[in-house]
Amino acid sequence: MIFQYIHQLITQALTTQLIELEDEMYARNQVLSLLHLPEYKETEAAVNMDMDIPDLLESIVDYACEQGIIEDLFDEKEIFSSKIMNCFIARPSSVNQFFYEKYQQDPHEATRYFYELSKNSNYIQMKRIRQNIEYKAATEYGDLDITINLSKPEKDPKSIELERAIQKSDYPKCLLCIENEGYAGRVGHPARSNHRMIRVNLVEENWYLQYSPYVYYNEHCIVLSEKHTDMKISPATFARLLSFVEQFPHYFLGSNADIPIVGGSILSHEHYQGGNYQFAMAKAEDDWTFTMENFPEVDCAVVKWPMSVIRLRSKDVEVLVEAGAHILANWKNYSDEMVGILAKTGATPHNTITPIARKNGDLFELDLVLRNNRTSEEHPLGVFHPHADVHHIKKENIGLIEVMGLAVLPARLKTEIEEVEKFILGRDDAQVADYHVSWAEELKARYQAVVDNDNVEAIVREEVGKKFLRVLEDAGVFKRDEEGAAGFLRFIKSL
C-alpha cells in the first residue's frame, strides 16, 4: 500500500499544481528517501482510493511509525509530515517570484495563488480546521461570527512529558520569527519544513506575509516584522497598515494592542493580522460624525459597535496617519474617572489602541478601537475585559479578531454546550459543568415552553452569541448608555 499512497500523493500534487510533470521523478525519489525505501514499485491506483493530501499524509506517516522510521509521537509525526510536503514545494525565491509575477497582473490573483499553495501543501491545516463549529449570531450590531475552536490537536502524554524535559532553545526566538521558514521543527516547536513567506515592503521596511496554519476566516494572513521586536502601537503602525492595504486593496490589516490583557497572545514579535474577509465591525454604520480642526480632509465618525471605535476616512494616506497619530497621542494620556478610565497607575500605562486599516472604494479607512487594561479589586482580570459572569463562555484576552466580531471560543464548549442542551430539554442524563449551572437554569426557565429536540441547538447557539456580545460590551471603554455616550463625547471634544 505504501507505493499506492506515494503514487496518489504525487497525483494529487500534480492536480493541485504543487509540482509540474518534470518534477514527478524528483519528488518521488525525495519521498522514497524519507521512507528509507531503496526502490519504487510501479503500481496502479486503487479503484476505491479517493484520498486527499491530508489523508494520504496520515497514511504515509502511519507507515513510517510502523517501520520504526519515526516514533509514534505527535511532534515527530508533524515533523515527518511537513518534510514530505516540502518535497513538493518550490524554494522561497521561486514562490516569491511567481507571486509577484501574478501580482503584476492582479494583487488578488497573487494572494489567491499563495493561499492555495499554503492549503495544498498542508501548511494550512484545512482538515483540522473543518472540525471547528462555526455559525453566525444575529445582533443589533450585525451578524457576529462564532467559532468553537476544535482544530488544535491534543498532544499525547508522552509528547507533553518530552516537551517538559527537553532543553530549551531560542532558535527560532518565537513562533513568528522569519527563521521558521523551512525549519524542521522539534519537540515543543511546530514543524515548518513546508512553510513559505512572501517578502513585502512596508514603508521602506522588510515585512513578511504568511497565512495562519489554523485560519479563522478566508485568507487569514499574518504580516510580521523581519526583526524580533516587541509589539508597539505608534504612527508607524498606522503607516504600515495603510501601506499594506494600498498594495493589497482586497485585504484588511489590523494590529493587536501592545499591552497585556487587551493585547494578543504574542507581544514579543511585532506582527499584524488581515485577510480577505468582511467582519461585522467593518459593515457597522456610523453612529455619529464629528470633525477635527487640523484635519479637514478626514471624515471622522464614531461607529455603532459595542466597543469604542473611531473611524477615519480619507483618500490621502499621509493625512490619515497624522490624524490617527493625533488621536493615539491624546488617548494615551486621557483619563476620565467618571467612566472609570485612568491613563496610568503610577508609571504603568493603561491606554492604547487596536487599529484596523482597509480600502473602501476610493477611500482608505482607519478604525481606531480604544482600549484600556486597568484592573480593580472587583475586576482583577481587567475592568474593560470580559467580566466574571461571562467567563464560563469566554475568559481569554479580547484581541484583534474578537474586536472585529469573531468569537474564538475554547474547545471545551462543544461537549459542555451539548450537556446544557440536554438540561434544557429536561433530560436526566445531563451533566452540566458547575460554571454553566446558573446559565442553564436561566435558559431552561425561559425556553421550557417552546424548546424541543429540533430547536434546542439553535436556541443555545443564539444565547452563546448574546454572551459574546456581552464580552464585547464589557471590553468597550465608553459604554453604550447615556453616561458612556457623554464620556465618549468628552473625549472627542478633547481632540
Side-chain angles (χ1 to χ4, degrees):
M1 285 301 294
I2 188 58
F3 298 110
Q4 291 268 15
Y5 296 139
I6 295 169
H7 175 82
Q8 276 293 108
L9 184 60
I10 290 168
T11 301
Q12 289 282 16
L14 286 165
T15 302
T16 55
Q17 298 181 315
L18 281 174
I19 60 172
E20 304 293 334
L21 273 172
E22 296 88 340
D23 304 318
E24 182 177 357
M25 203 62 64
Y26 170 85
R28 177 206 288 175
N29 286 331
Q30 293 296 303
V31 174
L32 290 176
S33 174
L34 287 171
L35 292 168
H36 300 180
L37 291 168
E39 60 182 355
Y40 180 74
K41 293 179 182 177
E42 292 291 344
T43 178
E44 292 294 324
V47 175
N48 63 347
M49 186 183 280
D50 184 23
M51 300 167 71
D52 58 18
I53 286 174
D55 291 330
L56 288 163
L57 278 175
E58 280 185 20
S59 297
I60 293 170
V61 168
D62 286 344
Y63 169 86
C65 291
E66 290 162 10
Q67 298 299 314
I69 297 166
I70 60 170
E71 279 195 73
D72 189 1
L73 295 171
F74 175 82
D75 287 313
E76 289 224 17
K77 292 194 285 187
E78 292 287 283
I79 289 167
F80 196 75
S81 175
S82 180
K83 283 181 178 177
I84 290 170
M85 287 317 300
N86 189 44
C87 301
F88 298 93
I89 315 173
R91 291 189 178 188
S93 57
S94 298
V95 171
N96 275 262
Q97 182 180 345
F98 200 50
F99 178 91
Y100 279 108
E101 284 173 3
K102 286 191 171 290
Y103 181 88
Q104 296 306 317
Q105 303 161 24
D106 181 2
H108 203 156
E109 285 301 312
T111 55
R112 184 181 297 158
Y113 149 73
F114 188 45
Y115 191 53
E116 291 304 311
L117 173 75
S118 300
K119 288 191 294 183
N120 292 332
S121 65
N122 206 47
Y123 176 73
I124 298 177
Q125 301 273 350
M126 290 307 296
K127 183 179 179 181
R128 293 174 184 168
I129 290 161
R130 280 190 277 269
Q131 297 172 27
N132 290 345
I133 295 171
E134 297 176 350
Y135 64 94
K136 291 185 183 290
T139 73
E140 62 180 296
Y141 302 99
D143 291 342
L144 301 179
D145 292 294
I146 310 295
T147 297
I148 297 178
N149 183 17
L150 305 173
S151 58
K152 195 168 182 182
E154 296 274 335
K155 288 194 176 186
D156 52 82
K158 192 172 180 183
S159 292
I160 295 169
E161 190 181 327
L162 273 173
E163 196 171 322
R164 287 174 181 156
I166 201 162
Q167 186 177 350
K168 300 298 179 189
S169 169
D170 61 356
Y171 182 88
K173 289 187 179 70
C174 77
L175 296 174
L176 292 176
C177 281
I178 58 173
E179 289 84 6
N180 283 282
E181 189 174 42
Y183 184 64
R186 61 176 185 270
V187 173
H189 191 101
R192 292 290 180 259
S193 294
N194 57 340
H195 180 31
R196 301 293 183 268
M197 301 182 187
I198 300 299
R199 280 62 179 160
V200 180
N201 184 292
L202 297 182
V203 198
E204 303 305 316
E205 295 175 351
N206 295 326
W207 287 69
Y208 293 76
L209 166 68
Q210 65 172 68
Y211 291 104
S212 170
Y214 294 99
V215 294
Y216 289 126
Y217 50 86
N218 187 48
E219 296 177 51
H220 176 187
C221 70
I222 298 168
V223 179
L224 55 102
S225 172
E226 183 176 46
K227 300 169 184 173
H228 181 75
T229 54
D230 290 346
M231 291 286 291
K232 182 173 174 58
I233 300 299
S234 69
T237 308
F238 306 152
R240 294 186 199 110
L241 297 180
L242 289 161
S243 172
F244 183 86
V245 298
E246 193 169 17
Q247 295 175 64
F248 301 95
H250 57 296
Y251 272 21
F252 77 89
L253 193 68
S255 175
N256 274 310
D258 54 350
I259 55 178
I261 298 177
V262 297
S265 56
I266 300 178
L267 296 178
S268 61
H269 194 120
E270 196 154 33
H271 69 285
Y272 312 132
Q273 293 183 78
N276 188 7
Y277 188 74
Q278 195 172 41
F279 289 91
M281 194 182 90
K283 301 175 191 174
E285 301 172 352
D286 294 350
D287 204 4
W288 47 281
T289 60
F290 64 94
T291 56
M292 291 190 291
E293 276 181 22
N294 294 336
F295 305 98
E297 313 97 317
V298 179
D299 296 327
C300 312
V302 168
V303 180
K304 185 185 177 184
W305 191 246
M307 294 185 70
S308 307
V309 186
I310 296 171
R311 179 165 293 162
L312 307 177
R313 300 182 181 96
S314 178
K315 290 183 178 180
D316 189 326
V317 167
E318 288 186 18
V319 172
L320 264 189
V321 172
E322 290 172 11
H326 174 66
I327 293 171
L328 176 65
N330 277 269
W331 175 245
K332 278 191 167 183
N333 295 298
Y334 188 80
S335 294
D336 186 341
E337 293 190 28
M338 291 176 68
V339 287
I341 295 169
L342 299 177
K344 293 176 182 175
T345 300
T348 303
H350 295 310
N351 286 353
T352 188
I353 279 174
T354 299
I356 303 108
R358 70 182 73 84
K359 186 96 183 285
N360 195 346
D362 293 335
L363 293 174
F364 290 94
E365 291 183 349
L366 184 63
D367 285 356
L368 305 175
V369 188
L370 306 179
R371 311 298 304 275
N372 178 290
N373 78 343
R374 186 171 69 84
T375 60
S376 67
E377 284 188 25
E378 184 184 1
H379 302 293
L381 297 183
V383 175
F384 303 104
H385 179 83
H387 291 173
D389 61 327
V390 295
H391 284 177
H392 66 108
I393 297 295
K394 178 73 173 176
K395 187 177 183 179
E396 300 79 13
N397 290 7
I398 303 308
L400 172 70
I401 293 172
E402 285 91 358
V403 162
M404 295 184 291
L406 191 157
V408 181
L409 303 178
R412 62 176 171 82
L413 286 178
K414 179 183 184 294
T415 52
E416 291 175 1
I417 285 173
E418 288 170 357
E419 296 304 318
V420 171
E421 290 172 5
K422 290 179 189 176
F423 181 83
I424 296 169
L425 290 168
R427 285 174 49 176
D428 294 334
D429 61 340
Q431 296 181 323
V432 178
D434 291 346
Y435 42 79
H436 289 311
V437 167
S438 61
W439 180 55
E441 288 174 343
E442 176 199 332
L443 295 184
K444 186 175 182 178
R446 199 185 328 155
Y447 290 108
Q448 61 185 350
V450 296
V451 72
D452 57 35
N453 285 320
D454 293 330
N455 66 12
V456 66
E457 182 184 84
I459 286 171
V460 175
R461 284 186 171 191
E462 182 183 344
E463 291 297 326
V464 170
K466 289 177 183 176
K467 284 285 184 178
F468 179 57
L469 176 56
R470 270 286 320 284
V471 163
L472 295 181
E473 289 170 343
D474 286 347
V477 293
F478 296 111
K479 306 306 179 190
R480 293 188 61 79
D481 54 22
E482 191 174 336
E483 186 180 34
F488 211 159
L489 183 59
R490 285 194 294 274
F491 174 64
I492 296 299
K493 284 182 175 178
S494 79
L495 300 173

